[in-house]
Amino acid sequence: MAFQVRPLVLSTLSAGLALAALLSACGGGDDATGWATDSAGSVTLQFEAVAGTTPVSCGSTITGLGSTSKSAQIQDLRFYVSDVQLIKADGSTVPLTLATTDDNNYADANGSVSLITLSQAGTGACTTGTLNTAIQGTVPAGRYVGVTMTLGVPMGLNHLSSTDAATPAVLRSDVNPSMSWNWRGGRKFTKIELQSTEAGNPVTLLHLGSTGCVGDPANGVPITGCTAPNRLTLSFADFDPARQQIALDVQSLFAQQNFSVTNSCMSSPTDAGCVSDFAALALNFNPDGTGTGTAVAGQTQTVFKAMSR
Amino acid sequence: MTALSCLRPVWLLVLAVVAGVVTGCQRQPAATSEVAPATSTAATATATATATASAPAAPASPSLPSPSASAVQAASDWTWDLPDYLPPPRVPADNPMTQAKVALGRYLFYDTRLSGNGTQACTTCHLQKLAFTDGRAHGLGSTGQLHPRSPMALGNVGWNATYTWANPALITLERQMTNPIFGETPVEMGVNDRNVKQILQRLADDPAYAPRFAAAFPQDPAGRPTWDHIVKAVSSFERALITTNSKYDQVRQGRARYTASEARGYALFKSADCIKCHQEPNFGGQFLSVATVKPDVSFHNKGLYNLDGQGAYPAESPGVIEITGKASDMGMYRAPTLRNIELTAPYMHDGSVATLGEVIDLYAAGGRGAGKDSPLKSPLLRPRHFSAQDRADLIAFLKTLTDHQFIRDPRYSAPFPAAPKKS
């Protein structure tokens, strides 16, 4: 039977699947779906900014933005990503161990965090930022099908002092001063700022971060909790880092904003100007201040998406 | 000062004691946290030695969320010289008071190199002669942006439970200070991605600073300026800005007597509920000392605005709601200290009241304009009949809170020689 079947299989399966099956056999994987790491388990997750499907960067004139289809340039585009995990075919997840601790990456028992910077100082309208477009790390060698991560800084790291020498560099004011959100006691999870080409160059920005954070003076605890965490799970069930990257779509994020005027959403719980940005992220927000800052059940964010590399 | 020492029990702040008490509370259940400071309360009534001896009641070696507490640092050599009715302030465990830090902090407080464009120092908005306010309704940042709020006085600022006018997310001077330095909306000192390293280099290029930093932070004998050390030094200097020699203090210590008008004003201050928010001994809300068991971290709506019939304040400065998002926090502000209030006009968070007389009139009216009918207004704000004499008496009493020594004290003054006059 086997003698008769094999030519049929080869003729009908794609070369890719055949290769995957072969690798799976060598690596001892559980099945042939998904993609396989190298023997070291190295993983590189690549990020980029897009408008729709068009890659954009500092200096690009981005057209067709907002409710009135205006143009803008990137002014600043940075965001924190934490708790990256790879998804296996059976749905289980495996944490990515960050390759390095440096000015862009940190991990300890309280969580992991990486700062992705898609803006480059001195290019176009960008005055800040040094490109850092990827997260590198390792997982146990094997087969995986997807990736999941959190947009934001974990609670255990978010409220560390921005100036203490002991605070990780990626979260410190001397390294990334404008990612600190001192008046809210934490970090800006995103600093996404577009400068319109309309008269006066009005800025459209989203500073996402935990809000409603308060401290406990009696016991000297800087922040005890936040009413709206505003952390967002980004899950890509079918994602191959060798072929794909994670794209932040500024057109989708700001689809409802009018680029002829300033649109400043600093995640204030009562800021009506935040409604459409949070809707695009599928984060619960009510301008009466009762938003929970958690994922809206049954809705999927439309800002981050998997695209071909 | 020496002549007064006999009247003022000297508070020796032993680092280990306060660090143990403060940090010991961090991971304790509420019941425990109320016990530890109570030990200090007992100690405060007696002598320094007792305070030290009773310290072991604090839980031993708690695990700290901040790893910096384990960093090598100089032990406190600081002595709080305070009247017996003013227990020492809480001091963060990772920033014990030292003479060298206060000395360094004084230089930095007055140093314009600390702003992005080199034009502003902390003192630009906090002038000693005005009890460290600037006489402006709205602070003016280094790049010309107006702040929605008025700079606050800094006397006895170490005793606040929270900082700025309305921010329960800022419970230490160290955290507060990052706002004027790094803030973007509005820009104040204007330190940003582009100049953050350059500013440290400016200080490093001044050979006078290295020995000051090294003395304040012996863990770095090279005395390199860092933001960590800058923030800790300036916060220490701010904690050292003690104002306790007003006529009120002198009367309380038996060194002076109120005039008849001042005495009537003091009585009225109490009977008319002013004291409910402006509590002795610091005449503000949110007083927090080593002896505080349960701090009152409350904010108040004074009926200044009511833009929509539901109590709305102007969007540029709506109060605590900006932080918490709670509708009931609209227009809520911390009651600032009234010490030196004579010097800190204009008044309120937005400087919208020009004189003390107008402040009293506003309170006597139970608010201002439509604000009188705000549903969010504090119930303490209600119409009260003040005669012309009452008004004069209250002002007379408020002026007894002015500390004329504080605003001339050379320890708090600019350490740099005055710039040579251009001819």
Side-chain angles (χ1 to χ4, degrees):
Chain A
M1 292 289 284
F3 180 75
Q4 290 171 325
V5 168
R6 190 172 290 158
L8 181 66
V9 169
L10 283 174
S11 68
T12 53
L13 285 183
S14 74
L17 270 178
L19 181 61
L22 188 63
L23 285 171
S24 174
C26 297
D30 41 15
D31 62 44
T33 57
W35 49 273
T37 64
D38 61 16
S39 58
S42 306
V43 174
T44 298
L45 296 174
Q46 191 69 35
F47 292 81
E48 78 165 353
V50 298
T53 54
T54 309
V56 295
S57 58
C58 293
S60 306
T61 297
I62 311 166
T63 57
L65 285 169
S67 56
T68 53
S69 193
K70 301 296 184 186
S71 299
Q73 287 202 8
I74 295 170
Q75 176 174 289
D76 203 332
L77 212 174
R78 288 178 272 179
F79 51 91
Y80 285 109
V81 169
S82 58
D83 193 24
V84 178
Q85 303 196 42
L86 296 193
I87 305 170
K88 295 176 85 79
D90 64 3
S92 63
T93 56
V94 178
L96 180 78
T97 303
L98 294 179
T100 51
T101 289
D102 56 21
D103 287 1
N104 291 311
N105 300 280
Y106 180 77
D108 68 13
N110 293 311
S112 68
V113 66
S114 299
L115 177 65
I116 298 298
T117 303
L118 302 180
S119 52
Q120 175 64 48
T123 306
C126 295
T127 53
T128 55
T130 302
L131 284 178
N132 180 55
T133 64
I135 297 175
Q136 292 184 307
T138 55
V139 289
R143 302 195 64 81
Y144 298 89
V145 297
V147 63
T148 179
M149 64 195 74
T150 301
L151 180 67
V153 181
M155 178 77 192
L157 296 171
N158 191 33
H159 306 291
L160 296 176
S161 158
S162 69
T163 51
D164 265 5
T167 296
V170 65
L171 302 172
R172 250 187 2 245
S173 281
D174 57 335
V175 178
N176 294 303
S178 55
M179 295 309 287
S180 269
W181 220 17
N182 301 295
W183 63 289
R184 290 205 181 275
R187 303 294 181 290
K188 295 176 189 124
F189 297 165
T190 74
K191 190 168 191 290
I192 302 171
E193 304 180 354
L194 302 188
Q195 194 184 92
S196 172
T197 56
E198 295 293 292
N201 302 116
V203 171
T204 294
L205 65 82
L206 170 62
H207 295 174
L208 184 71
S210 295
T211 61
C213 310
V214 298
D216 175 9
N219 296 309
V221 183
I223 298 293
T224 50
C226 307
T227 54
N230 288 334
R231 289 187 187 85
L232 181 65
T233 301
L234 304 175
S235 206
F236 306 98
D238 188 9
F239 185 90
D240 177 357
R243 294 185 298 105
Q244 292 169 292
Q245 56 191 334
I246 296 152
L248 187 172
D249 183 355
V250 293
Q251 197 174 60
S252 177
L253 173 62
F254 294 132
Q256 303 304 316
Q257 304 287 18
N258 176 3
F259 277 72
S260 297
V261 296
T262 298
N263 304 288
S264 169
C265 168
M266 298 191 190
S267 302
S268 286
T270 55
D271 185 352
C274 286
V275 170
S276 63
D277 294 355
F278 274 70
L281 293 167
L283 276 174
N284 183 282
F285 185 89
N286 298 311
D288 66 358
T290 61
T292 62
T294 55
V296 180
Q299 286 182 24
T300 306
Q301 60 84 21
T302 57
V303 178
F304 291 86
K305 53 194 183 186
M307 289 181 62
S308 296
R309 291 184 70 164
Chain B
M1 286 301 290
T2 19
L4 306 179
S5 307
C6 56
L7 293 164
R8 299 173 169 209
V10 171
W11 298 91
L12 179 65
L13 181 62
V14 181
L15 168 64
V17 176
V18 174
V21 170
V22 174
T23 62
C25 297
Q26 291 197 354
R27 292 284 171 90
Q28 303 302 317
T32 312
S33 70
E34 290 175 11
V35 170
T39 310
S40 305
T41 314
T44 55
T46 56
T48 302
T50 316
T52 314
S54 56
S61 60
S63 60
L64 258 183
S66 167
S68 62
S70 60
V72 181
Q73 55 193 4
S76 179
D77 61 356
W78 187 256
T79 301
W80 294 103
D81 183 13
L82 300 168
D84 59 4
Y85 47 83
L86 186 61
R90 301 262 186 109
V91 177
D94 65 351
N95 192 21
M97 292 286 283
T98 66
Q99 299 283 349
K101 263 191 262 186
V102 173
L104 169 63
R106 180 179 163 216
Y107 278 96
L108 295 168
F109 185 88
Y110 283 94
D111 198 328
T112 57
R113 285 171 288 192
L114 216 50
S115 57
N117 59 15
T119 62
Q120 283 201 343
C122 305
T123 192
T124 308
C125 297
H126 298 284
L127 303 164
Q128 185 183 11
K129 66 180 179 183
L130 296 178
F132 295 97
T133 57
D134 68 349
R136 300 180 58 93
H138 298 278
L140 183 61
S142 61
T143 59
Q145 287 188 28
L146 277 177
H147 199 289
R149 295 179 187 159
S150 186
M152 301 193 83
L154 296 185
N156 293 359
V157 75
W159 280 270
N160 293 341
T162 72
Y163 287 88
T164 80
W165 283 98
N167 195 330
L170 298 173
I171 67 161
T172 61
L173 283 163
E174 285 78 0
R175 295 261 177 144
Q176 186 280 332
M177 189 183 160
T178 57
N179 291 274
I181 293 179
F182 297 107
E184 297 176 304
T185 42
V187 173
E188 297 183 59
M189 304 286 280
V191 178
N192 58 34
D193 287 66
R194 297 182 290 288
N195 58 35
V196 66
K197 289 187 171 62
Q198 180 195 341
I199 290 167
L200 294 181
Q201 192 58 48
R202 285 179 199 159
L203 301 184
D205 287 345
D206 181 345
Y209 263 121
R212 292 184 198 130
F213 273 96
F217 300 98
Q219 59 268 43
D220 178 15
R224 284 170 293 231
T226 66
W227 287 107
D228 185 24
H229 293 168
I230 289 168
V231 164
K232 284 176 174 159
V234 173
S235 298
S236 297
F237 174 67
E238 290 174 319
R239 279 192 187 93
L241 297 172
I242 306 293
T243 169
T244 53
N245 197 22
S246 67
K247 185 170 183 182
Y248 162 83
D249 297 290
Q250 294 168 11
V251 170
R252 190 154 175 177
Q253 295 164 23
R255 295 186 283 130
R257 293 176 69 107
Y258 285 136
T259 65
S261 176
E262 289 164 352
R264 285 195 304 270
Y266 186 23
L268 186 55
F269 184 82
K270 291 187 268 195
S271 65
D273 293 337
C274 310
I275 204 164
K276 291 268 177 69
C277 297
H278 298 283
Q279 299 152 12
E280 296 178 84
N282 215 26
F283 291 92
Q286 301 202 357
F287 180 79
L288 182 61
S289 77
V290 293
T292 306
V293 174
K294 193 166 183 158
D296 173 13
V297 192
S298 57
F299 299 87
H300 312 276
N301 182 312
K302 293 171 291 189
L304 298 178
Y305 299 97
N306 181 10
L307 300 180
D308 61 354
Q310 298 172 48
Y313 267 46
E316 61 267 26
S317 188
V320 174
I321 187 175
E322 192 172 25
I323 302 300
T324 63
K326 283 186 201 158
S328 58
D329 284 338
M330 174 63 78
M332 291 291 211
Y333 288 88
R334 182 164 64 82
T337 182
L338 297 183
R339 286 182 175 272
N340 303 302
I341 195 70
E342 177 186 6
L343 306 169
T344 65
Y347 302 106
M348 307 298 164
H349 67 276
D350 58 357
S352 60
V353 183
T355 66
L356 278 181
E358 288 170 55
V359 172
I360 291 169
D361 293 345
L362 186 152
Y363 285 138
R368 178 173 66 192
K372 286 183 240 179
D373 301 319
S374 167
L376 302 174
K377 191 181 77 171
S378 164
L380 292 170
L381 262 286
R382 59 172 191 267
R384 297 168 196 270
H385 177 72
F386 289 157
S387 67
Q389 186 63 52
D390 291 338
R391 195 173 178 273
D393 292 343
L394 268 176
I395 292 175
F397 169 67
L398 290 173
K399 289 184 176 176
T400 71
L401 299 175
T402 304
D403 182 344
H404 295 281
Q405 180 189 311
F406 176 66
I407 60 172
R408 291 180 181 82
D409 195 320
R411 293 174 300 173
Y412 311 146
S413 64
F416 297 109
K421 285 180 181 168
K422 288 172 186 166
S423 52

